[in-house]
Amino acid sequence: MRALYKHHAGVGLALDDSRAKPSPGPRDVLIRVAKAGICGTDRHIWEWNPWAASRVPIGIVTGHEFVGVIESIGSAVTRFQPGLRVSAEGHITRGIDYNSRTGNAHIARGVEVIGVDRDGCFADYIVMPEDNIWPMHPDIPDTIGAVMDPLGNAVHTVMEAGVSARTVLITGVGVIGLMAVTVAKAAGASRIFCTDLDPRRLDLARKLGAVEAYDARDPAWVDDVRNNCRGEGADVLLEMSGAESAFNQGFAALRNGGKAALLGVPAKPFPFDFNANVIFKGVTLVGIYGRRMFKTWYQMEELLLSGRLELDDIITHEFPLEQFEDAFGEMISGRGIKVVLNIGD
Ligand code: ZN
């Protein structure tokens, strides 16, 4: 089969035309991949940044966001049959630690991530455990099926924060931040404020329902958000940039007693004033990782079926697998927002 894999400890990925097709274990399914989304994580692996170099084994097939069709099943699989169109939760847990057994498998110890710790989906076929399979509703198209993973990050963040009838500030409108705008709107946020550096993404955030979208480089936005929210600040902060300035300004624009859900991953540690930003403000903090298994997936499906999510403008490019260099180029340049690889026919 064809597979896009990490061929050396440096920049780039290589396409192998004759990789052995994986075979499912007794409780696995083999999936023929149709479409796969390129994620910021894949970009880190492409660029071989310090995180990737410390975590990702050479030789691994990348990619973790996909939709496809079950080709064959292991001998002990009972719930699914070949021919079913599916996506899958890419975080694999063994289900034996405290969090796995108490409804928090997304933060279980020893989580294995496809395309990072084991072979991923930028290939004609991928093997997944039966427990990770998410059957795709027939009304949800493949292009959306390819981005269930990042959409799930957005849904998880919005739902943990609780946005109904609240003012929401989103710092950073990359793919997941833009998805969070439409998800927060669908989930009943009263008014949404956004910041970013890219004017095109700010325009798109407005189109998706943000009442104000600010260039983060002009710190006057902090007072503007506070003034727009009774002089007190936004009820909810969704931090999706990982930028030091966004943490400092975002918490300054959050009202006392507000809630902050943190999804963006800072590249390195930085000083942060807990007294002013959290303790004396009585702020509630929640870290967001992955998707709740599988509460987030049910919420995501319902939001998609409601018809209230606008995702078409976020998925800007599709390329055949062979044109992976162009696909990564569009994404890394910032011209592409969400870029999808067409792998199957
Ligand atoms: Zn991803």
Side-chain angles (χ1 to χ4, degrees):
M1 68 169 188
R2 298 171 304 162
L4 194 56
Y5 73 111
K6 193 72 205 177
H7 58 305
H8 73 150
V11 175
L13 296 169
L15 188 61
D16 182 352
D17 281 327
S18 54
R19 184 122 172 165
K21 187 168 154 181
S23 47
R27 297 195 58 208
D28 297 332
V29 304
L30 178 70
I31 300 162
R32 183 158 37 85
V33 178
K35 288 176 184 283
I38 302 180
C39 179
T41 300
D42 304 316
R43 176 186 180 164
H44 294 324
I45 296 171
W46 175 282
E47 292 175 338
W48 205 239
N49 75 354
W51 167 82
S54 70
R55 168 88 180 251
V56 179
I58 300 294
I60 209 161
V61 178
T62 47
H64 55 269
E65 311 171 354
F66 73 94
V67 64
V69 174
I70 295 181
E71 175 100 347
S72 64
I73 60 174
S75 58
V77 169
T78 56
R79 283 180 282 162
F80 306 113
Q81 291 298 321
L84 187 68
R85 196 169 68 101
V86 298
S87 185
E89 168 56 52
H91 290 193
I92 297 167
T93 74
R94 299 188 196 290
I96 54 169
D97 75 338
Y98 179 90
N99 283 305
S100 296
R101 303 181 77 185
T102 55
N104 290 306
H106 61 297
I107 47 169
R109 275 187 296 145
V111 166
E112 262 196 329
V113 182
I114 61 170
V116 173
D117 304 308
R118 53 185 264 164
D119 281 344
C121 64
F122 291 163
D124 287 316
Y125 295 92
I126 183 172
V127 160
M128 290 299 297
E130 174 181 23
D131 289 346
N132 284 63
I133 294 302
W134 181 261
M136 287 301 300
H137 190 284
D139 291 348
I140 301 175
D142 273 358
T143 307
I144 303 300
V147 300
M148 296 291 273
D149 176 288
L151 181 61
N153 291 139
V155 170
H156 186 188
T157 311
V158 169
M159 292 301 168
E160 288 293 319
V163 300
S164 174
R166 290 191 168 128
T167 50
V168 177
L169 167 62
I170 304 175
T171 46
V173 282
V175 171
I176 297 172
L178 288 168
M179 288 172 164
V181 175
T182 188
V183 170
K185 192 178 173 206
S190 55
R191 288 177 293 149
I192 301 165
F193 304 86
C194 297
T195 67
D196 202 86
L197 303 176
D198 181 337
R200 197 166 55 111
R201 290 168 201 236
L202 291 171
D203 283 344
L204 185 47
R206 284 186 202 98
K207 187 176 171 194
L208 296 175
V211 291
E212 298 285 354
Y214 304 97
D215 186 325
R217 282 164 292 217
D218 178 0
W221 73 262
V222 174
D223 280 341
D224 206 66
V225 168
R226 295 183 65 95
N227 292 338
N228 271 305
C229 301
R230 301 177 193 85
E232 302 198 44
D235 297 317
V236 170
L237 167 64
L238 311 181
E239 207 307 294
M240 300 205 152
S241 72
E244 179 176 351
S245 58
F247 273 77
N248 289 318
Q249 295 172 341
F251 278 86
L254 181 64
R255 73 162 163 77
N256 289 6
K259 185 162 187 180
L262 310 181
L263 176 98
V265 181
K268 56 179 177 9
F270 53 75
F272 182 73
D273 188 344
F274 273 93
N275 295 355
N277 289 326
V278 179
I279 300 168
F280 298 146
K281 285 183 89 155
V283 162
T284 303
L285 279 184
V286 58
I288 306 293
Y289 182 62
R291 297 141 298 278
R292 289 192 165 276
M293 297 169 216
F294 278 82
K295 184 176 177 182
T296 303
W297 288 81
Y298 287 105
Q299 292 170 328
M300 178 163 39
E301 182 173 270
E302 287 303 324
L303 286 165
L304 286 166
L305 294 177
S306 79
R308 281 179 287 169
L309 297 189
E310 295 178 50
L311 299 166
D312 292 353
D313 290 333
I314 300 173
I315 302 163
T316 54
H317 294 73
E318 297 193 41
F319 288 93
L321 179 62
E322 274 73 18
Q323 291 176 27
F324 66 95
E325 288 178 313
D326 295 333
F328 274 85
E330 288 301 309
M331 189 237 189
I332 290 169
S333 72
R335 288 187 298 272
I337 298 178
K338 192 66 182 179
V339 180
V340 168
L341 291 171
N342 289 322
I343 297 175
D345 19 74

